[in-house]
Amino acid sequence: MAVTGTSVTSTSVTSVRPYWDLTFDADGDPDPRQRDALLEAVGDRTDVVVFSHGWNNDIATATALYDGFFGPFPGLLAAAPDLRFGYVGVHWPSMRFSDEPIPDFPRTSPTLAAPVADGAAASGAALDPLTRAALGEVFPGSGPTLDRIAELLAERPEAPERLDEFAALVRTLTGLPPSPGAAAQGPAASDPAAQGVAAQSLLAEDMGTAPGAEPLLFTQDPVTTCLSLADALATAGAEVAPAQPVSGEAVFGGLGRRVWDGAKELLRQATYYAMKRRAGTVGQRGLGPLLGVLARRAPSVRVHLIGHSFGARLVSFALDGMPSTVRVSSVTLLQGALSHYAFSGPQPFDARGGALHGRQRRVTGPLVACHSRHDQALGVFYPLASRLAGEDESLLGDIAHAGADLLGFGERWGALGHDGFQALDGAPELTLERALAGELPRTGCVSVDASSVVCSGGPPSGAHSDICHEELARLVLRAAGRVPG
């Protein structure tokens, strides 16, 4: 069973046994029934694999992910009958936008299926009912704000002040106050739940960011930001309205449709910004302490962590939240949506270093970071969303300089799942083929280029979610030290 908000939903992971769901709320509090069921039964296992989904999964999609990824494990372990594996699927309040296809997965979740309302805009910039419902699940109490956001996306008004209103509403969803000069208008102005829904226990960023620093995404002029995001969508191969010359006409008159294409992307990126903080909270305050309890209750069980996307951030911050004496046996990060400097020491641009510097020592085996050059979510959008206000270049400048080269966004803001560990001494770089052939180190951080299998998926995210491959299941077990090699 899995709990989302006040609803209880049966999952259908059938590829492995025993399997336990483990659900956390946005503050990191676990479902007590699921927690107790796991702790009571796990003691007879030799190994437990704990997998956390990423930023863009509803519960049905997360369950399908676990079922598919775990599918090869029984066959791969058949030659080791003395090993008794157990499997845990972590659920935390996240979401995916319904226009993001995942390779080999249904396009939308049946749990959110709903007809398009009469008169709803057919434009790709409109907020479809599936996404609107998912946003309501992850931002409870923000109904008026979301209704107004949906209305603005459907109408695409030409007045610049309406885009200012939109940007302010999006900021309130993430827990940020409306930016100066863009105070929220309409229903959300008197909606305190929406104003503070995500302003819960803000954790440090992946690097030692100064307190109060905000992404440039939310501080730049909204027109500039939305046009930058529209350019990023075009770079990633998504359909956006064409740019039009502004000669003789107002900017909004000529570029309105393209601006609103970028505005929907601003909502998506703002949602991910909130999910990024939430993933850290759930890992540090929820999963980490629970792993400490598990270690006390079943000290002989070897624990192996897997995280995809922001789930990689969740399990990484779980290392920080564990008691200092607790260790896990291995960690595998699949297309990790966290800084590629998160585990690194001081850098020329940040003397404090990564937020998780040294936490790799809480892993007795390898800490593996899989990355792929085909991941556009991390190669294009992650650096844009991560850039902080006060830096030299604007978002628009990033796009202009990058052109068709998705590697051109500047390494400071890069994602672990895009190019692996950076500035980390002793962290080798391997291809997936070499890692599976026996070159994976027994301990320490290692980057594995999985581009050979993580390669399918359309815009805007590219191959970000293309992770259900037997080769990656084998890699997890190699890292666990439970298959030859």
Side-chain angles (χ1 to χ4, degrees):
M1 303 293 283
V3 180
T4 302
T6 58
S7 62
V8 180
T9 306
S10 295
T11 62
S12 55
V13 173
T14 59
S15 59
V16 290
R17 287 286 187 270
Y19 170 85
W20 298 274
D21 282 316
L22 183 58
T23 304
F24 295 91
D25 66 16
D27 296 318
D29 294 325
D31 177 275
R33 295 170 298 170
Q34 296 176 346
R35 176 200 60 205
D36 294 346
L38 171 64
L39 294 174
E40 289 170 6
V42 76
D44 69 342
R45 300 290 96 189
T46 59
D47 299 76
V48 171
V49 182
V50 181
F51 193 168
S52 175
H53 66 76
W55 67 35
N56 56 355
N57 287 104
D58 54 51
I59 191 169
T61 309
T63 298
L65 168 68
Y66 298 148
D67 204 33
F69 191 87
F70 286 145
F73 277 61
L76 294 172
L77 292 168
D82 292 338
L83 297 179
R84 300 180 305 280
F85 267 66
Y87 304 86
V88 178
V90 172
H91 296 273
W92 57 285
S94 183
M95 66 165 290
R96 74 178 178 97
F97 276 58
S98 64
D99 63 354
E100 297 179 21
I102 298 176
D104 302 321
F105 278 63
R107 183 171 178 83
T108 57
S109 165
T111 62
L112 294 178
V116 176
D118 292 340
S123 165
L127 192 61
D128 62 272
L130 300 176
T131 300
R132 168 62 183 84
L135 286 167
E137 290 259 344
V138 297
F139 296 117
S142 58
T145 298
L146 291 170
D147 288 342
R148 181 57 177 157
I149 285 173
E151 183 178 304
L152 289 168
L153 286 175
E155 292 178 356
R156 293 182 167 200
E158 294 187 359
E161 57 266 26
R162 295 284 73 80
L163 187 66
D164 290 341
E165 176 190 358
F166 178 87
L169 294 170
V170 168
R171 283 175 60 91
T172 65
L173 272 187
T174 68
L176 298 171
S179 60
Q185 305 172 42
S190 59
D191 183 2
Q195 303 270 340
V197 65
Q200 313 158 4
S201 60
L202 305 187
L203 292 172
E205 293 296 320
D206 298 337
M207 296 300 293
T209 304
E214 294 182 1
L216 187 61
L217 196 69
F218 304 128
T219 59
Q220 240 183 188
D221 168 67
V223 174
T224 302
T225 295
C226 292
L227 286 176
S228 299
L229 290 171
D231 290 343
L233 285 167
T235 299
E239 293 185 10
V240 294
Q244 299 179 13
V246 299
S247 55
E249 56 186 31
V251 171
F252 248 65
L255 299 178
R257 295 188 65 82
R258 190 175 181 89
V259 165
W260 285 103
D261 284 338
K264 183 178 181 181
E265 187 59 31
L266 178 63
L267 174 62
R268 190 196 315 265
Q269 295 303 320
T271 302
Y272 296 167
Y273 177 71
M275 294 303 103
K276 175 180 181 178
R277 296 183 305 181
R278 185 175 292 176
T281 298
V282 173
Q284 189 180 62
R285 299 186 175 184
L287 181 59
L290 193 148
L291 291 174
V293 176
L294 191 154
R296 291 197 305 271
R297 296 274 292 269
S300 64
V301 175
R302 293 164 52 101
V303 175
H304 311 285
L305 303 180
I306 309 172
H308 170 235
S309 186
F310 273 141
R313 190 173 197 269
L314 190 155
V315 300
S316 294
F317 272 82
L319 298 176
D320 188 57
M322 297 188 314
S324 60
T325 57
V326 171
R327 300 291 182 266
V328 297
S329 295
S330 69
V331 178
T332 305
L333 308 178
L334 305 171
Q335 301 310 115
L338 69 164
S339 171
H340 53 198
Y341 295 116
F343 289 92
S344 303
Q347 300 300 312
F349 53 82
D350 196 325
R352 289 163 292 192
L356 298 172
H357 176 51
R359 292 298 180 259
Q360 58 266 43
R361 290 192 287 270
R362 296 185 176 183
V363 186
T364 59
L367 196 167
V368 181
C370 292
H371 60 93
S372 170
R373 64 181 178 273
H374 306 295
D375 187 333
Q376 293 173 338
L378 300 183
V380 176
F381 292 101
Y382 182 92
L384 290 179
S386 298
R387 181 176 291 280
L388 298 178
E391 293 302 307
D392 294 335
E393 294 186 68
S394 69
L395 295 176
L396 192 60
D398 269 347
I399 293 295
H401 294 159
D405 178 10
L406 302 186
L407 301 179
F409 287 95
E411 66 179 25
R412 176 171 179 181
W413 307 108
L416 186 63
H418 178 62
D419 55 7
F421 296 107
Q422 301 296 308
L424 189 59
D425 292 339
E429 166 73 44
L430 301 175
T431 64
L432 179 61
E433 292 73 21
R434 288 174 58 193
L436 294 177
E439 296 186 38
L440 196 71
R442 294 182 179 273
T443 189
C445 295
V446 56
S447 300
V448 174
D449 185 349
S451 299
S452 59
V453 297
V454 182
C455 57
S456 298
S461 299
H464 183 64
S465 295
D466 184 24
I467 62 169
C468 288
H469 298 282
E470 181 177 333
E471 294 90 340
L472 296 180
R474 288 170 55 202
L475 182 66
V476 170
L477 291 176
R478 296 270 176 148
R482 293 312 213 183
V483 295

